[in-house]
Amino acid sequence: PYPSYTGEGERYNDAEFREVSRDFEEFYGKYNLDFKDKLVLDAGCGLGGKTVFYAQKGCEHIYGVDMDTTHIELSKQFAAEKGVDNATFQIESLEQMSFESNTFDLIFLNGVLEHIVRDKLVPALAELRRVLKPGGRILIEFPPWTSPYAAHLYDVIYIPWCHYLFSDATLINATNRLGAPERDGDLTYTEHFMELNRCTIAEFRKIVTTLGYDIVDIDLIVVRKKEFLKKIPFFSKFFINSVHAVLSKTDPCPNIKETNVEADKDTANV
């Protein structure tokens, strides 16, 4: 069975903090990120576990933003528990934020991109580019829809690629019958599943390229680190667990109305 995100009796923000503490150097160490005296944005901060970790890396200040009021309150509590005083948590909509243009040196969008409502995905990525400083970095991690566990139902349904094998209605019914766990947030477990935008790797590349991002790196993390799986024609996309992308910008963000970018409806493409 695919393990639950949280350990036995572990709070979700503790699990976030534990996960980023374990994985940060492996995934981001090669980029030599400098947090000292930097302004950082954690876009879609969740319950604040990752935000607090970034705050402790020595940044001047970090802003954790989220649309979920429960998330923001629990993030504030977690930061206070950890003695972090260089973090601010506030309600923000990613497609229209209150920050000035060219504000942040580093932006993190970890485990969030797949949750952005589909018709807001392009505006949100454009807005993140707007608030990024020229030469800054935005670091994105997300499971593409072809990933074995992209459905985010692994606390209940342990079947890889269940979102390809069964209809949404079947998955929701099964999740409810098996006992969907409670979540710390405004959405239920099944609502959390239904909000997924089903973004693929190819779709992501198309969007960020058209929006004028400079692609520093896109790293495809394969199942169980079996790199040979990337070489399987057509089927390789189904063995990519997550996408780790590092983006930058040099020029102002183009007007979104002129980019003519749409989230593709064909989720079978990579």
Side-chain angles (χ1 to χ4, degrees):
Y2 193 86
S4 172
Y5 185 76
T6 56
E8 185 68 29
E10 184 180 35
R11 297 179 304 175
Y12 198 88
N13 40 21
D14 285 315
E16 290 177 325
F17 186 87
R18 169 179 52 79
E19 181 187 62
V20 71
S21 300
R22 179 195 65 204
D23 296 339
F24 187 83
E25 285 303 318
E26 177 182 355
F27 293 133
Y28 297 123
K30 62 183 177 180
Y31 304 115
N32 298 314
L33 299 176
D34 180 14
F35 283 80
K36 184 174 175 56
D37 301 325
K38 298 296 192 294
L39 283 178
V40 182
L41 175 66
D42 189 13
C45 63
L47 275 67
K50 295 178 182 179
T51 319
V52 167
F53 173 82
Y54 302 141
Q56 293 178 342
K57 297 288 285 184
C59 63
E60 177 183 330
H61 203 86
I62 185 168
Y63 289 85
V65 302
D66 204 288
M67 282 289 290
D68 193 309
T69 54
T70 303
H71 288 180
I72 293 298
E73 290 307 311
L74 291 174
S75 294
K76 291 177 180 178
Q77 294 173 22
F78 188 70
E81 289 176 18
K82 294 290 187 179
V84 166
D85 60 4
N86 61 335
T88 298
F89 296 94
Q90 60 194 52
I91 297 290
E92 293 278 358
S93 175
L94 292 187
E95 71 272 16
Q96 190 173 8
M97 291 185 285
S98 62
F99 305 109
E100 296 291 332
S101 298
N102 308 314
T103 294
F104 296 102
D105 300 284
L106 293 172
I107 298 176
F108 289 92
L109 189 73
N110 288 341
V112 175
L113 183 139
E114 71 270 25
H115 297 288
I116 301 173
V117 177
R118 195 163 185 79
D119 61 0
K120 295 181 179 180
L121 180 57
V122 173
L125 288 170
E127 180 71 347
L128 289 169
R129 187 180 185 278
R130 180 186 70 80
V131 301
L132 181 69
K133 287 182 179 179
R137 294 286 187 269
I138 176 168
L139 300 101
I140 301 174
E141 182 275 325
F142 74 99
W145 189 242
T146 49
S147 169
Y149 298 100
H152 289 56
L153 297 175
Y154 35 75
D155 293 298
V156 180
I157 298 175
Y158 308 123
I159 302 173
W161 303 286
C162 64
H163 48 296
Y164 278 97
L165 299 174
F166 306 102
S167 68
D168 290 352
T170 298
L171 291 173
I172 291 172
N173 183 55
T175 299
N176 289 332
R177 289 172 66 90
L178 291 168
E182 294 184 3
R183 296 185 65 254
D184 293 317
D186 296 338
L187 299 180
T188 66
Y189 194 79
T190 52
E191 288 171 340
H192 188 63
F193 162 65
M194 288 304 298
E195 75 170 355
L196 297 171
N197 59 39
R198 310 181 182 213
C199 184
T200 64
I201 301 168
E203 186 177 6
F204 172 75
R205 286 182 184 272
K206 175 184 176 182
I207 292 171
V208 299
T209 300
T210 309
L211 286 176
Y213 278 104
D214 300 321
I215 298 176
V216 177
D217 190 27
I218 294 182
D219 195 7
L220 305 180
I221 309 302
V222 72
V223 172
R224 299 186 183 276
K225 300 182 180 180
K226 303 296 184 181
E227 292 296 316
F228 72 90
L229 294 172
K230 292 182 179 178
K231 301 178 182 179
I232 301 176
F234 180 77
F235 291 103
S236 61
K237 61 188 176 183
F238 294 103
F239 298 104
I240 302 301
N241 254 347
S242 61
V243 176
H244 290 250
V246 181
L247 312 176
S248 186
K249 78 169 186 181
T250 53
D251 301 318
C253 191
N255 187 326
I256 190 172
K257 293 181 181 179
E258 298 176 357
T259 60
N260 196 29
V261 184
E262 292 183 358
D264 293 337
K265 294 181 180 180
D266 180 5
T267 58
N269 294 327
V270 178

